[in-house]
């Protein structure tokens, strides 16, 4: 991926570090509300003060069990 670091909703997940590594699998654990959809926003800076964003919705699971949700991000996902 070009233009690292990629930041995740820092106001919702302040404990997560930005994604710095490119061309590899990166795992993060995010806790969301199981009863509502959660929007996760990714942001990167391509040139000084020019940002691109990508958002994904993690759907509500409405279950008491933990679930895994994978997000694969490509350069073309950002706009």
């Amino acid at each position: 991926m070009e233009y690292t670091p990629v930041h995740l909703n820092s106001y919702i997940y302040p404990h997560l570090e930005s994604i710095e590594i490119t061309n590899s699998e990166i795992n993060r654990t995010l806790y969301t509300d199981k009863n509502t959809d959660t929007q996760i926003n990714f942001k990167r800076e391509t040139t000084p003060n020019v940002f691109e964003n990508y958002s994904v919705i993690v759907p509500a699971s409405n279950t008491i069990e933990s679930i895994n949700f994978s997000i694969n991000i490509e350069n073309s996902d950002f706009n």
Side-chain angles (χ1 to χ4, degrees):
M1 181 174 307
E2 297 177 276
Y3 308 115
T4 58
V6 174
H7 308 282
L8 289 89
N9 300 46
S10 59
Y11 56 93
I12 296 175
Y13 304 109
H15 63 284
L16 290 176
E17 68 273 8
S18 298
I19 299 169
E20 299 277 354
I21 303 172
T22 60
N23 298 323
S24 66
E25 182 175 308
I26 298 170
N27 295 302
R28 297 284 192 272
T29 300
L30 306 176
Y31 296 98
T32 62
D33 185 337
K34 66 180 182 201
N35 298 311
T36 60
D37 294 346
T38 301
Q39 180 172 326
I40 299 176
N41 301 309
F42 299 87
K43 179 173 76 171
R44 68 182 182 179
E45 188 173 17
T46 56
T47 57
N49 298 315
V50 176
F51 295 91
E52 293 182 333
N53 298 292
Y54 173 61
S55 295
V56 64
I57 301 291
V58 176
S61 64
N62 296 314
T63 181
I64 60 172
E65 298 176 15
S66 295
I67 63 164
N68 290 321
F69 188 85
S70 296
I71 302 171
N72 297 308
I73 304 173
E74 304 290 333
N75 281 314
S76 59
D77 294 324
F78 288 89
N79 55 32

